């Protein structure tokens, strides 16, 4: 039954509530008291601040609010902090209301944007509020995870709609809001509506808290024996989570029957080399791993196995608090401190309750358990004291273990305070930016009055407001000086006393803010240069957020190689250390891009808020002719492969979305196809959903026609253009290794020929020539011959010798069926010889 089928003839409060309850009853859902109270307030038109524990059904209240707005003819917006949650909510609401009535807007995709129910990120709604103010077609706002209001970098987006949309009804939701008196009074004053606070400390599934003085492995074994699984073991770094999961392999977590069920559920799921093989061993043992560095398909597999009750223990990070939807009976925190990017500190009450609240899920459990481990050295010392007993001599000889250097300790008192503490009051994180001024200036009416309202009516204290006013004045003057804004002697027909002299796309501050700069920089490149396709790639990469772990790994690798070379050259230690300071990750086109950026920002001052960052990740992978697994292994990024793939997906989307068609040469098109297919074959979900949202009516969204996430990616050979690039890269990888005489690596790639076979052939080559070229000509189409047969390709890669004879090279076969099964080009070299 669709919820839209229950829309009453007249939107009277009682009729709306009765219709919604009829629908929930049909779904087999009984409303909790807090849900019913919140919905009663919503139907009367009041604002609602809903502060109830995790698992208490806030999402159902949100659905009810959208139903009320739809029945009343008001446009309603649902906001969440991350795109993944927005997307998840979009598809859930489509199931409830139908595709025609639900749309979605994020920075990089939009579908059915004129629908009466819109799912979007908080930043999207904030920019609508800034651009249109109370004229905005926004009748209701449901803000999920409202505690993000306090986030230093993003909290402004949760505050701006409250300031700029007085016509809207607000439903603010979170499990950890703290004292909301200020918000209740502020909303009532601004909107003229009553504001109801619906809160409940009573969870549908009660929690039991315990402080454990047993070693971690004993605590876990005790929980398993006490039927308190599934257990989520929470760490605050990814490495420790994986180490603990591997340590549990010695524990009999799952029975033979349970392991058989796991194997059946996994089926023919494709685990790639590296971390995939590790995860395969773990989950087959009943142990999961879950953190942001994993590939989405691996996280989803862990979630699905957990939802089926097949995983007894999951080791992961505190990202559990945002979005994971698995039945967890026990949350086991390994500590009460975390590194926040600046220092290691104790958890805040809000953070603790967000994590602890995941224990015990309605429909699965009757009770939830939260266990916190004492510090390891404290447990060891307590055990040593207990072992000494009452013997004075043993007590005197006792040597207590000290805490590790820099360790921030916690105790049972710390634990008890967190259990009893209310979440900290939310604090304002309002900021003034160029994009804020540009949006406000672009709206009809008096921009000066609108900015005065924003700057004096926000939730900051008076001293902070004065600082914001001074910054706004400085930004406005810079915009005037750059000619981006002009001040009018008389208001124009729309009441503007100032107006923009440039056109801004709707999402100019959201979807890669430096995209307009990228367009300008691409025009500076020589389209006839052999490096043009890769230079365009470098321009795009410079505008994207840094994948910090990848860049650190590249720098570490480069410095290691430099040290080895400097030692070989006899450079002294002190000089080596000085020279290493200048070695960083690769930055193609750095000088050109930085000079262009400085010139561009003179006419576009707002880009100064966004840092240009030359780097080479996708380009590095292409130039090294590596596939995904080879690249991850080369830089030791197994724990961060999800980050690597998300970055590559962002590069692909930016290339597709930003580079004009007339700037896409055939060679650049090959790179784009290669990159898209590489991402799809590793984890198709990252692109399939984006493509589906960009082209909701299209049957096929790429030349490969990717299958659904459940079915896995399409056959790699189906996208012939991308597959040819993969074959070309696989061959060129061997050319580069041959040029460096890396016989062992060549033998590993071609075991049938072996290192000795390669060495013998190359010795013959280097008797005639001094080197093998690896420049643009060496990987060009002129030196590659491909004969396509039904089940295989026969290829010949010719070496770029300095004499230009082009009579040396190697022959190979590409098995198409094996390539489809492996998700990458399977190449076998058959001979290395002179023709």
């Amino acid at each position: 039954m669709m919820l839209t089928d229950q829309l009453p003839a007249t939107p009277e409060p009682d009729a709306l509530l009765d219709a919604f309850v009829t629908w929930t009853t049909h779904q087999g859902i009984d409303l909790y008291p807090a849900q019913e109270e919140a919905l009663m307030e919503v139907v009367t038109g009041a604002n609602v601040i809903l502060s109830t524990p995790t698992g208490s059904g806030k999402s159902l209240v949100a659905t009810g609010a959208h139903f009320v707005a739809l029945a009343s003819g008001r446009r309603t917006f649902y906001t969440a902090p991350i795109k993944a949650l927005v997307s998840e909510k979009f598809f859930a609401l489509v199931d409830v209301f139908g595709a025609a009535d639900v749309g979605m807007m994020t920075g990089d995709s939009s579908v059915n944007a004129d629908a009466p129910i819109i799912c979007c990120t908080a930043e999207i709604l904030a920019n609508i509020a800034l651009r249109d103010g109370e004229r905005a077609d926004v009748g209701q706002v449901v803000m999920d995870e409202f505690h993000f209001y306090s986030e230093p970098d993003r909290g402004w987006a949760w505050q701006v709609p409250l300031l700029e949309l007085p016509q809207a009804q607000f439903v603010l939701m979170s499990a950890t809001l703290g004292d909301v008196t200020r918000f209740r009074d502020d909303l009532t004053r601004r909107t003229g509506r009553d504001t109801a606070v619906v809160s409940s400390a009573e969870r549908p599934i009660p929690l039991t808290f315990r402080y454990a003085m047993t070693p971690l492995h004993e605590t876990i074994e005790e929980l398993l024996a006490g039927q308190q699984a599934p257990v989520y073991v929470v760490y605050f770094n990814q490495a420790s989570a994986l180490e603990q999961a591997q340590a549990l392999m010695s524990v009999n977590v799952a029975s033979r029957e349970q392991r058989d069920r796991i194997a059946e559920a996994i089926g023919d799921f494709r685990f790639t080399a590296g971390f995939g093989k590790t995860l395969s061993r773990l989950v087959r043992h009943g142990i999961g791993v879950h953190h942001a560095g994993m590939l989405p398909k691996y996280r989803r597999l862990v979630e699905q196995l957990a939802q089926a009750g097949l995983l007894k223990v999951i080791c992961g990070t505190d990202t559990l608090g945002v979005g994971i939807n698995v039945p967890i009976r026990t949350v086991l925190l390994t500590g009460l401190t975390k590194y926040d990017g600046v220092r290691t500190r104790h958890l805040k009450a809000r953070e603790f309750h967000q994590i602890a609240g995941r224990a015990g899920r309605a429909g699965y459990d009757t009770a939830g358990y939260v266990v916190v481990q004492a510090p390891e050295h404290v447990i060891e010392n307590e055990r040593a004291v207990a072992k000494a007993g009452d013997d004075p001599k043993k007590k005197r000889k006792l040597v207590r273990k000290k805490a590790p250097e820099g360790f921030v300790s916690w105790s049972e008192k710390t634990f008890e305070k967190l259990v009893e503490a209310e979440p900290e009051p939310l604090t304002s994180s309002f900021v003034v930016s160029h994009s804020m001024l540009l949006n406000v200036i672009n709206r009809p009416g008096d921009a000066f009055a609108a900015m005065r309202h924003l700057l004096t009516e926000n939730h900051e204290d008076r001293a902070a407001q004065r600082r914001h006013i001074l910054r706004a004045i400085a930004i406005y003057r810079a915009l005037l000086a750059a000619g981006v804004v002009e001040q009018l002697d008389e208001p124009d027909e729309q009441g503007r006393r100032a107006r923009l002299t440039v056109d801004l796309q709707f999402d100019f501050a959201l979807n890669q803010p430096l995209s307009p700069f990228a367009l300008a920089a691409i025009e500076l490149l020589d389209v006839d240069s052999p490096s043009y396709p890769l230079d365009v790639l470098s321009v795009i990469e410079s505008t994207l957020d840094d994948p910090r772990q990848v860049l650190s790994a590249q720098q570490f690798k480069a410095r290691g190689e430099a040290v080895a070379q400097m030692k070989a050259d006899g450079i002294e230690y002190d000089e080596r250390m000085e020279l290493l300071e200048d070695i960083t990750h690769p930055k193609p086109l750095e000088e050109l891009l930085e000079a262009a950026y400085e010139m561009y920002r003179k006419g576009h001052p707002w880009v100064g808020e966004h840092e240009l960052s030359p780097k080479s990740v996708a380009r590095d992978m292409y130039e090294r002719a590596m596939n995904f697994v080879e690249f991850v292994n080369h830089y030791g990024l197994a724990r961060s492969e999800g980050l690597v793939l998300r970055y590559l997906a962002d590069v692909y989307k930016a290339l597709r979305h930003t580079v004009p068609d007339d700037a896409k040469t055939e060679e650049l098109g090959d790179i784009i196809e290669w990159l898209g297919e590489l991402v799809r074959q590793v984890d198709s979900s990252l692109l399939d959903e984006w493509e589906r949202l960009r082209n909701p009516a299209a049957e096929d969204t790429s030349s490969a026609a990717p299958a659904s996430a459940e079915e896995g990616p399409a056959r790699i050979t189906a996208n012939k253009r991308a597959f040819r690039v993969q074959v070309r890269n696989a061959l060129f990888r061997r050319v580069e290794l041959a040029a460096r005489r890396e016989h062992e690596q060549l033998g590993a790639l071609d075991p049938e020929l072996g290192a000795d076979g390669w060495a013998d052939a190359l010795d013959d080559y280097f008797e005639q020539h001094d080197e093998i070229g690896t420049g643009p000509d060496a990987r060009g189409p002129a030196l590659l011959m491909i004969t396509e047969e039904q089940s295989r390709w026969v290829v010949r890669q010719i070496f770029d010798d300095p004499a230009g004879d082009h009579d040396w090279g190697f022959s190979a076969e590409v098995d198409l069926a094996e390539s489809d099964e492996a998700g990458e080009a399977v190449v076998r070299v058959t001979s290395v010889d002179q023709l």
Side-chain angles (χ1 to χ4, degrees), residues 194-480:
D194 290 338
T195 302
V197 177
V198 179
S199 60
S200 171
E202 183 179 346
R203 289 172 49 94
I205 308 299
L207 292 182
T208 300
F209 292 87
R210 178 164 70 88
Y211 193 72
M213 290 295 295
T214 49
L216 182 60
H217 68 278
E218 291 185 18
T219 305
I220 293 173
E221 290 178 10
E222 181 184 331
L223 293 170
L224 292 173
Q227 303 299 309
Q228 294 181 23
V231 181
Y232 196 98
V233 186
V234 181
Y235 281 90
F236 293 95
N237 65 77
Q238 297 171 4
S240 297
L242 179 57
E243 287 169 9
Q244 180 56 49
Q246 292 174 310
L248 286 171
M249 288 291 287
S250 61
V251 178
N252 189 21
V253 172
S255 66
R256 177 74 260 176
E257 180 187 353
Q258 289 168 333
R259 291 198 295 271
D260 289 342
R261 290 175 56 204
I262 291 170
E264 183 181 352
I266 291 173
D268 58 358
F269 182 90
R270 184 195 291 172
F271 292 95
T272 52
F275 176 75
K277 301 302 181 186
T278 300
L279 182 64
S280 177
R281 290 193 300 271
L282 290 170
V283 294
R284 293 176 194 280
H285 200 71
I287 303 164
V289 180
H290 195 285
H291 60 70
M294 294 167 59
L295 296 177
K297 68 176 183 181
Y298 291 156
R299 291 203 308 272
R300 191 167 58 252
L301 174 68
V302 170
E303 292 164 12
Q304 289 170 344
L305 293 175
Q307 287 164 353
L310 297 175
L311 298 182
K312 299 300 181 184
V313 181
I314 306 171
C315 300
T317 59
D318 58 331
T319 52
L320 163 74
V322 183
I324 181 175
N325 181 27
V326 300
I328 298 165
R329 186 164 296 164
T330 302
V331 169
L332 171 56
L333 287 94
T334 58
L336 292 176
T337 61
K338 68 179 293 185
Y339 181 70
D340 62 7
V342 178
R343 61 188 176 89
T344 300
R345 57 166 175 79
H346 287 121
L347 294 181
K348 297 176 181 177
R350 171 169 289 106
E351 293 168 330
F352 175 78
H353 287 292
Q354 278 289 132
I355 300 167
R358 295 292 168 176
R361 302 292 290 180
Y364 294 96
D365 304 310
T366 56
Y369 306 90
V370 180
V371 182
V372 173
Q373 285 288 120
E376 285 184 19
H377 67 280
V378 172
I379 294 173
E380 290 187 29
N381 289 336
E382 286 292 318
R383 290 207 154 188
V385 170
K387 189 175 181 180
D390 297 328
D391 189 329
K393 290 183 180 179
K394 289 183 178 179
K395 284 187 175 181
R396 282 196 300 272
K397 292 181 180 179
L398 205 63
V399 179
R400 291 181 177 272
K401 185 174 182 179
K402 294 182 180 179
E405 186 177 350
F407 183 78
V408 177
S409 192
W410 66 91
S411 66
E412 191 166 4
K413 286 187 178 179
T414 312
F415 164 67
E416 291 170 351
K417 285 181 180 178
L418 285 171
V419 172
E420 296 298 326
E422 289 291 322
E424 298 82 2
L426 297 174
T427 55
S428 173
S429 297
F430 186 81
V431 294
V432 176
S433 64
H434 284 81
S435 60
M436 177 179 286
L437 261 73
L438 289 166
N439 272 316
V440 172
I441 292 170
N442 204 39
R443 74 162 76 158
D446 187 346
F448 297 102
M451 277 306 302
R452 187 183 305 113
H453 172 265
L454 265 174
L455 295 169
T456 60
E457 286 288 312
N458 58 61
H459 297 161
E460 303 276 290
D461 60 36
R462 189 58 188 152
Q465 287 182 349
R466 283 195 290 269
R467 290 194 297 272
H468 292 319
I469 290 169
L470 291 174
R471 173 161 170 75
I473 292 171
I475 291 173
Y476 180 71
R477 286 174 176 167
L479 292 172
L480 279 175

Side-chain angles (χ1 to χ4, degrees), residues 144-149 158 162 172-174 177 183 426:
D144 207 353
E145 307 291 349
F146 186 71
H147 56 273
F148 271 77
Y149 170 95
W158 274 259
L162 307 182
L172 313 180
M173 308 189 305
S174 172
L177 287 178
F183 291 103
L426 297 174

Side-chain angles (χ1 to χ4, degrees), residues 729-791:
N729 284 352
L731 299 174
F732 189 71
R733 175 99 171 108
R734 289 164 171 83
V735 171
E736 289 190 311
L737 293 173
R740 299 197 300 268
R741 306 192 193 195
E742 300 280 0
H743 305 139
E744 295 299 326
Q745 291 190 51
L746 286 165
L749 288 173
D750 302 303
E752 293 179 7
L753 190 63
D756 291 342
W758 269 102
D760 291 343
L762 290 175
D763 284 345
D764 292 340
Y765 172 87
F766 283 112
E767 285 183 6
Q768 300 180 29
H769 303 288
D770 294 333
E771 63 180 4
I772 297 176
T774 57
D777 291 339
R779 71 186 306 158
L783 299 183
L784 174 63
M785 295 181 290
I786 297 179
T787 302
E788 299 180 13
E789 299 180 1
Q790 187 171 0
S791 61

